[in-house]
C-alpha cells in the first residue's frame, strides 16, 4: 500500500522544535505515513543563506521566498493529510485556507487536522475556520492527534482499496 502523505503547517517560529516534534509523533505513531515537505529545514537553509549574505539583492531574496512558497503549495496539493499545528502565523492561515478551498472546489482533498496545545489557540487563531466540514480539531492531547492521523490514514487506504477493486 502506498504511504499516506502529510504536510505540517505552523508558524515559522515553531520550525526548530515544535514542528519536528509533531513530525516525530506521527512518524513514530503511525506506520505508512510520509512527510511531503520538510519546510523547517528549507526555512533554516534560507535564513542561513540570508545571514551569510548569499543573496545579491532583494530580488534574489524574493525569488527564494517565492520558490519556497511554491514548494509549500505543491506539498499541500500532494498531501493526503494536512496538519495545522497551532499557534500559526500568516503563512499557516494561507495554507489552511488554500487546503480548505481545494477541498471545497475539487475532489482533490487533503484531510485537515487542526492541532492546538490548548483551547485558547482555537478561539484566537483559527476559531472561525474549525467548524468547516471535514476539519478534525484536536486540543491538548498529542495521543489524540496520532490517533486521528491513524484513523484518517485507514480511511484513505480503504478508499484506495475500493477504487482499485481489491476487496479484503
Amino acid at each position: 500500500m502506498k504511504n499516506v502523505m502529510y504536510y505540517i503547517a505552523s508558524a515559522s517560529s515553531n520550525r526548530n522544535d515544535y514542528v519536528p516534534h509533531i513530525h516525530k509523533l506521527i512518524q513514530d505513531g503511525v506506520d505508512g505515513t510520509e512527510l511531503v515537505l520538510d519546510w523547517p529545514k528549507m526555512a533554516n537553509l534560507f535564513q542561513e543563506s540570508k545571514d551569510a549574505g548569499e543573496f545579491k539583492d532583494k530580488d534574489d531574496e524574493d525569488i527564494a521566498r517565492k520558490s519556497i512558497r511554491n514548494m509549500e503549495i505543491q506539498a499541500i496539493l500532494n498531501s493526503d493529510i494536512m496538519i495545522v499545528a497551532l499557534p500559526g502565523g500568516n503563512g499557516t492561515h494561507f495554507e489552511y485556507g488554500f487546503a480548505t478551498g481545494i477541498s471545497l472546489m475539487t475532489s482533490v482533498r487533503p484531510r485537515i487536522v487542526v492541532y492546538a496545545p490548548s483551547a485558547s489557540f482555537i478561539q484566537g487563531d483559527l476559531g472561525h475556520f474549525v467548524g468547516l466540514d471535514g476539519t478534525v480539531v484536536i486540543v491538548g492531547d498529542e495521543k489524540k492527534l496520532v490517533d486521528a492521523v491513524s484513523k484518517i490514514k485507514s480511511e484513505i487506504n480503504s478508499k484506495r482499496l475500493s477504487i482499485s477493486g481489491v476487496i479484503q
Side-chain angles (χ1 to χ4, degrees):
M1 183 68 42
K2 181 179 152 189
N3 280 350
V4 170
M5 308 300 285
Y6 68 96
Y7 177 77
I8 303 171
S10 192
S12 60
S13 60
N14 295 329
R15 73 178 180 255
N16 292 322
D17 298 316
Y18 184 54
V19 172
H21 173 72
I22 298 294
H23 170 56
K24 185 168 177 25
L25 284 173
I26 303 305
Q27 284 301 113
D28 291 351
V30 186
D31 290 334
T33 57
E34 184 178 339
L35 185 65
V36 176
L37 178 70
D38 189 350
W39 68 263
K41 186 182 291 183
M42 288 182 1
N44 287 333
L45 289 171
F46 171 84
Q47 190 62 50
E48 289 170 15
S49 295
K50 184 177 176 184
D51 292 347
E54 294 177 12
F55 299 119
K56 291 183 238 169
D57 55 26
K58 183 78 169 124
D59 287 342
D60 277 356
E61 186 177 330
D62 288 345
I63 289 168
R65 283 184 197 281
K66 286 178 185 174
S67 176
I68 291 170
R69 175 54 69 201
N70 287 338
M71 285 187 268
E72 290 170 337
I73 289 170
Q74 193 59 49
I76 293 167
L77 290 170
N78 293 331
S79 295
D80 298 303
I81 302 170
M82 184 172 117
I83 300 167
V84 178
L86 299 179
N90 291 337
T92 311
H93 289 255
F94 170 83
E95 292 166 341
Y96 182 85
F98 182 76
T100 301
I102 291 167
S103 70
L104 293 173
M105 296 172 53
T106 70
S107 61
V108 177
R109 181 161 213 279
R111 296 284 306 272
I112 301 169
V113 178
V114 176
Y115 173 72
S118 73
S120 63
F121 290 110
I122 295 294
Q123 292 158 2
D125 209 347
L126 288 173
H128 49 290
F129 291 115
V130 297
L132 294 172
D133 286 344
T135 299
V136 176
V137 179
I138 308 294
V139 178
D141 188 346
E142 293 176 346
K143 180 169 179 357
K144 287 182 183 177
L145 170 63
V146 172
D147 292 345
V149 171
S150 181
K151 180 180 179 199
I152 293 169
K153 180 195 145 228
S154 295
E155 291 169 4
I156 289 168
N157 283 335
S158 289
K159 285 181 185 175
R160 286 180 180 161
L161 287 173
S162 67
I163 289 170
S164 67
V166 176
I167 299 173
Q168 289 186 320

